[in-house]
């Protein structure tokens, strides 16, 4: 490849590193083209999966200010540049790796911090943002309901006491 082409490739990779929320580095040795196409389709909403050259990627990562990823750039490498929810992309990669053991997750970067393969797995084990927000909303709603019940309890107790006194008075008047 000519020198200007390499410079353009490094510039493009640097831009992708800067524009993405996270990046997950994988080794794709043993996967067929059809399997790679399937992986790209499954990640299309959250990430862009691209086969990269290790030397150019190391240079681009350094230019983007990302440390710790150059050590993992060995063998045939591909990177999922995550632009959407990092948890969803990590889940997609983890699930695909379970179905296709030839895909190996080597590590990644999240918000400029290097991740190990175990960290990516932990990220994939998290629930999605929507589920976490729904759980938080449900917890807040339950606390509000509990507070409303607590505020109305003395009034309803007073009503029940007055009603019991009225019934007792009617019974006493009837007996007399």
């Amino acid at each position: 490849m000519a020198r200007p082409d390499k410079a353009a490739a490094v510039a493009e990779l640097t831009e992708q590193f800067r524009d993405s929320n996270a990046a997950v580095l994988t080794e794709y040795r043993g996967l067929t083209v059809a399997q790679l196409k399937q992986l790209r389709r499954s990640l299309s909403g959250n990430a862009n999966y691209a086969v990269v050259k290790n030397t150019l990627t190391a240079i681009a990562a350094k230019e983007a200010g990302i440390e710790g990823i150059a050590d993992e750039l060995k063998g045939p490498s591909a990177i999922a540049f995550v632009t959407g929810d990092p948890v969803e992309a990590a889940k997609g990669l983890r699930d695909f790796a379970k179905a296709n053991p030839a895909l190996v997750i080597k590590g990644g970067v999240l918000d400029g911090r290097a991740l190990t393969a175990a960290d990516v797995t932990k990220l994939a084990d998290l629930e999605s943002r929507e589920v976490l927000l729904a759980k938080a909303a449900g917890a807040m709603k339950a606390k509000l309901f509990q507070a409303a019940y607590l505020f109305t309890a003395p009034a309803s107790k007073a009503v029940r006491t007055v009603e019991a006194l009225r019934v007792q008075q009617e019974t006493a008047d009837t007996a007399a």
Side-chain angles (χ1 to χ4, degrees):
M1 216 184 334
R3 193 81 187 140
D5 292 342
K6 288 183 180 181
V10 168
E12 182 181 341
L13 285 170
T14 303
E15 193 64 31
Q16 285 183 321
F17 273 120
R18 288 184 180 145
D19 290 344
S20 62
N21 304 335
V24 180
L25 181 64
T26 63
E27 182 177 317
Y28 64 93
R29 182 178 303 166
L31 291 177
T32 64
V33 173
Q35 288 171 324
L36 285 174
K37 190 182 253 187
Q38 179 186 1
L39 176 59
R40 283 188 179 104
R41 244 185 274 123
S42 70
L43 294 175
S44 65
N46 291 317
N48 176 25
Y49 191 74
V51 174
V52 295
K53 292 191 175 275
N54 293 337
T55 311
L56 300 179
T57 304
I59 294 168
K62 187 176 180 181
E63 286 183 12
I66 296 171
E67 301 293 327
I69 199 170
D71 300 336
E72 298 293 332
L73 290 168
K74 295 176 184 101
S77 300
I79 298 180
F81 293 102
V82 182
T83 53
D85 186 11
V87 174
E88 289 298 319
K91 281 182 184 184
L93 285 167
R94 179 200 57 196
D95 294 344
F96 189 84
K98 281 182 183 176
N100 302 287
L103 181 74
V104 178
I105 298 173
K106 296 197 272 186
V109 176
L110 178 64
D111 294 329
R113 190 177 73 84
L115 300 174
T116 63
D119 292 337
V120 174
T121 304
K122 286 180 188 175
L123 185 65
D125 291 338
L126 288 175
E127 293 175 332
S128 70
R129 181 177 186 274
E130 289 77 22
V131 171
L132 292 174
L133 287 173
K135 283 185 175 183
M140 284 189 256
K141 181 180 175 187
K143 288 297 178 184
L144 287 173
F145 180 77
Q146 189 178 26
Y149 177 77
L150 242 146
F151 292 137
T152 59
S156 61
K157 185 177 180 183
V159 168
R160 286 192 302 272
T161 304
V162 168
E163 181 63 22
L165 286 173
R166 186 186 63 78
V167 169
Q168 184 182 17
Q169 186 66 32
E170 284 179 3
T171 309
D173 288 344
T174 309

